[in-house]
Amino acid sequence: MSPDFEIQIFNRRENSMEIEKVYGDAMVKFAYGNPIGRLLGPVIASKMLSQIYGKSQDSLKSAKKVAPFIKNFHIPMDQYQKGSFKENPVETSYRSFNEFFIRKFREGKRAFTTNDDDMAAFAEARYFGHACMRDDLDIPVKGSMLRAVDLIGDRRGDTELAKDFIGGPLIIARLCPVDYHRYHYPDDGKTLKAFTIPGDLHSVNPLALKYRQDIFIKNERRVSILETEHFGKLAYIEVGATCVGKIVQSFDESKAFNKGDEKGYFLFGGSTVVLCGEKGAWAPSRDILDNTSAGIETYIQLGDVVAQSNRNST
């Protein structure tokens, strides 16, 4: 990847800057930076193509890609549970690439913050954060896609749900294909409403966002309106992406949830979770805000702190 397209990440746990190694970067640059690729955009971003490709990752043959993928991206497999073939070494224990893709952490490898006023990282991902949503936000992308009304307005065009979140805080968690692809609840609470907004499946890679700035409101997404105990009302938005065969809700949303409960997972592909809050209810952590201002994402482990409640502020 040329220096012009390097994606800088600050790794909080390691306290160091890193350059992201992008899976499929040549394809992303062709699809969004090449005139021919842009002509093919509707096909590349179609749900049918992503579902077909995602389905291929369920085949037994796809399991052959797992070991080379682990080696190429230096994935620490000692942190993850084995797949279906328990008798095999972890690298060859998965029956398909998708089973590897949605692998779980081993017991005790991740812990969720226990402080009630600390919001837990709901995904192991690269985070951007803003203290309030406004029309002129330009990190990581410009303009109206970061308005609550565009992100949350439901499939019937109802914008009432968005009113609670206008001017509120915003966190964007970007997952890469190399990451743990399960996402969790950041606090205790209950689900008030959940629905899917149909759309395309563009890449959510920063290289794609550089060329196309309406991806977050054009892509298919699933919205859950949550009532939480310590952070007020939240809009929890799972954004589909190229080659994401499916967004799976693994939690029974008719039941109350606890901080750290698994909410769902993405099948193959890079993906994003966006979290919107009520104005003044909470704020992203200071390092996330500072790095975001510099155009740098912060890599944060699942369960670590990503925001603080303002309920006890004077």
Side-chain angles (χ1 to χ4, degrees), residues 228-248:
T228 66
E229 289 193 18
H230 306 103
F231 300 93
K233 195 177 292 185
L234 301 175
Y236 193 116
I237 306 165
E238 296 124 34
V239 183
T242 303
C243 295
V244 176
K246 198 173 185 182
I247 300 174
V248 178

Side-chain angles (χ1 to χ4, degrees), residues 55-243:
K55 189 72 173 176
S56 73
Q57 306 310 303
D58 285 328
S59 69
L60 293 173
K61 185 178 179 180
S62 70
K64 294 179 180 179
K65 300 193 302 182
V66 173
F69 188 92
I70 290 169
K71 182 178 180 181
N72 190 28
F73 289 96
H74 310 290
I75 298 174
M77 294 308 296
D78 60 325
Q79 298 186 11
Y80 295 97
Q81 296 180 21
K82 287 186 175 183
S84 296
F85 306 130
K86 305 296 185 187
E87 69 281 2
N88 288 4
V90 64
E91 293 84 357
T92 58
S93 68
Y94 302 97
R95 68 174 301 279
S96 68
F97 195 84
N98 253 339
E99 186 180 57
F100 160 72
F101 193 75
I102 59 171
R103 62 197 179 276
K104 293 184 177 182
F105 283 118
R106 290 172 56 191
E107 191 71 28
K109 289 297 181 180
R110 294 294 184 271
F112 281 74
T113 175
T114 57
N115 187 334
D116 287 343
D117 290 331
D118 287 337
M119 181 185 291
F122 41 90
E124 183 137 331
R126 295 139 187 82
Y127 284 80
F128 272 125
H130 298 276
C132 64
M133 285 183 281
R134 50 180 209 277
D135 287 351
D136 61 346
L137 282 181
D138 59 3
I139 299 174
V141 286
K142 293 182 180 178
S144 63
M145 74 199 64
L146 295 182
R147 293 194 313 168
V149 67
D150 293 323
L151 282 167
I152 303 164
D154 76 16
R155 60 189 179 277
R156 295 179 302 276
D158 180 7
T159 60
E160 286 297 310
L161 290 175
K163 289 184 176 180
D164 291 331
F165 305 101
I166 293 173
L170 170 77
I171 289 180
I172 302 170
R174 179 175 65 90
L175 290 68
C176 292
V178 300
D179 293 328
Y180 169 83
H181 261 74
R182 294 173 182 268
Y183 45 86
H184 298 248
Y185 289 102
D187 191 27
D188 302 342
K190 62 182 180 180
T191 302
L192 301 179
K193 186 173 184 178
F195 54 90
T196 297
I197 303 174
D200 299 327
L201 290 171
H202 289 283
S203 171
V204 293
N205 186 283
L207 304 183
L209 294 170
K210 189 180 183 78
Y211 293 109
R212 177 153 188 163
Q213 299 171 343
D214 61 352
I215 284 174
F216 285 166
I217 61 169
K218 291 295 185 183
N219 273 19
E220 178 171 315
R221 54 205 186 278
R222 191 177 190 279
V223 180
S224 302
I225 306 299
L226 311 178
E227 184 67 54
T228 66
E229 289 193 18
H230 306 103
F231 300 93
K233 195 177 292 185
L234 301 175
Y236 193 116
I237 306 165
E238 296 124 34
V239 183
T242 303
C243 295

Side-chain angles (χ1 to χ4, degrees), residues 280-295:
W282 52 271
S285 299
R286 175 45 56 187
D287 62 338
I288 297 177
L289 291 172
D290 291 344
N291 289 332
T292 297
S293 295

